[in-house]
Amino acid sequence: MKPAQSNKTIEAPASWDDIPCGAYYRQALEQGLKAWWPKLFGFHLLKIGALSADLDTGDCAISHQVNVGLASERLQVIADPYQLPFANKSADACLLAHTLSYTGDPHRLLREVDRVLIDDGWLVITTFNPVSLLGLGKICPILFRRQPYKSRMYTQMRLLDWLGVLNFEVLHRTHLQVLPWRRQGGRLLSTHFPAIGCLSVIVARKRTFPLSLTPLKNKTSSRGLRRPVNATTRSCRQRHAFKAKYPL
């Protein structure tokens, strides 16, 4: 497995229109997240990255939405995603629409998002799936330097491992758009083979308590009361001595 941190410069697209079939990807993500936007609540939603800002989140229950990134016409705050200009625990939700796919240090970015999120805050992540028809293009020398094949792709299991370290609870995960060149992504294939979808979607919440009990604590709490050593033997001896001294 390749290390998550990379020193290579990855050029991020300014919008979904800069990616071949990007309009189909954007439509699939908007449709796949449509049922989740009304469930998010709070005061502030951060859409980090140009592709996040390009997604339609009008159905989200959070009205104040801020687009943050380095280069895009839709951005409202120009800032480095590694150093977000927001206080600790000031955002109720964060959207990373393929932001991890175009960053050199995804661990650092996730830690920064964890810093600005409030307790029980929402995190929505989308990336490209390497186990898909789109992922096969990365092994082709001709396509390797083109969009979206030059982006970084992560499996869901790897993303889940990163979120587990930061104590995020995953509420929903799925794959979308099995056929990248089709507007509907191939409905039949998406229904029966969703694991090979080109787009990976994860919805998680930041938790402040451990998601699993520590084995040592669990073992300590399950111990019962111990019987005092020789308590039964001592009581029997005292009873026989009393009867011998005071016979009936």
Side-chain angles (χ1 to χ4, degrees):
M1 181 182 297
K2 295 183 179 180
Q5 186 175 0
S6 175
N7 296 325
K8 295 182 180 180
T9 301
I10 306 175
E11 182 182 358
S15 68
W16 290 100
D17 296 331
D18 296 338
I19 303 176
C21 301
Y24 299 162
Y25 302 149
R26 178 178 56 192
Q27 181 181 0
L29 291 175
E30 290 175 349
Q31 186 65 27
L33 293 171
K34 187 175 182 180
W36 281 95
W37 293 128
K39 300 179 182 180
L40 275 63
F41 52 87
F43 299 98
H44 310 289
L45 167 64
L46 298 183
K47 301 169 67 174
I48 304 174
L51 299 181
S52 300
D54 211 21
L55 283 184
D56 183 12
T57 56
D59 294 334
C60 184
I62 303 176
S63 58
H64 186 238
Q65 304 178 10
V66 181
N67 300 332
V68 186
L70 291 175
S72 177
E73 298 179 356
R74 295 178 176 269
L75 297 181
Q76 299 164 339
V77 176
I78 306 298
D80 188 352
Y82 292 143
Q83 299 175 346
L84 297 174
F86 305 104
N88 297 344
K89 299 183 180 182
S90 58
D92 300 277
C94 288
L95 170 61
L96 298 177
H98 285 62
T99 311
L100 296 178
S101 301
Y102 295 97
T103 183
D105 195 347
H107 292 172
R108 181 181 175 186
L109 180 57
L110 288 176
R111 287 194 299 268
E112 182 66 6
V113 170
D114 177 69
R115 179 187 67 82
V116 300
L117 270 179
I118 66 170
D119 297 339
D120 294 329
W122 296 81
L123 176 59
V124 180
I125 298 177
T126 70
T127 59
F128 290 118
N129 181 21
V131 189
S132 63
L133 295 178
L134 190 66
L136 293 177
K138 291 186 70 67
I139 64 177
C140 181
I142 300 177
L143 301 176
F144 185 74
R145 298 184 181 276
R146 300 180 183 178
Q147 291 284 9
Y149 307 102
K150 66 179 181 179
S151 66
R152 308 190 68 184
M153 301 183 183
Y154 308 102
T155 62
Q156 273 198 356
M157 296 306 299
R158 195 173 187 184
L159 294 174
L160 294 179
D161 183 55
W162 295 349
L163 294 176
V165 172
L166 295 175
N167 207 42
F168 277 85
E169 180 185 4
V170 176
L171 303 179
H172 174 71
R173 59 189 181 98
T174 187
H175 292 94
L176 307 170
Q177 199 75 9
V178 174
L179 300 179
W181 58 85
R182 298 288 299 273
R183 179 177 296 274
Q184 301 296 333
R187 291 185 178 181
L188 183 61
L189 291 176
S190 299
T191 301
H192 297 283
F193 304 98
I196 61 174
C198 299
L199 306 176
S200 178
V201 178
I202 295 178
V203 180
R205 295 194 71 178
K206 176 182 176 181
R207 298 304 188 187
T208 56
F209 55 87
L211 297 181
S212 59
L213 294 177
T214 305
L216 180 60
K217 292 183 179 180
N218 191 19
K219 184 178 179 180
T220 304
S221 60
S222 62
R223 290 179 179 176
L225 296 176
R226 292 184 177 181
R227 188 177 62 183
V229 180
N230 297 330
T232 305
T233 306
R234 188 181 300 110
S235 60
C236 292
R237 290 178 180 177
Q238 292 176 353
R239 189 180 304 110
H240 290 306
F242 180 82
K243 291 181 178 180
K245 187 175 181 180
Y246 303 101
L248 296 178

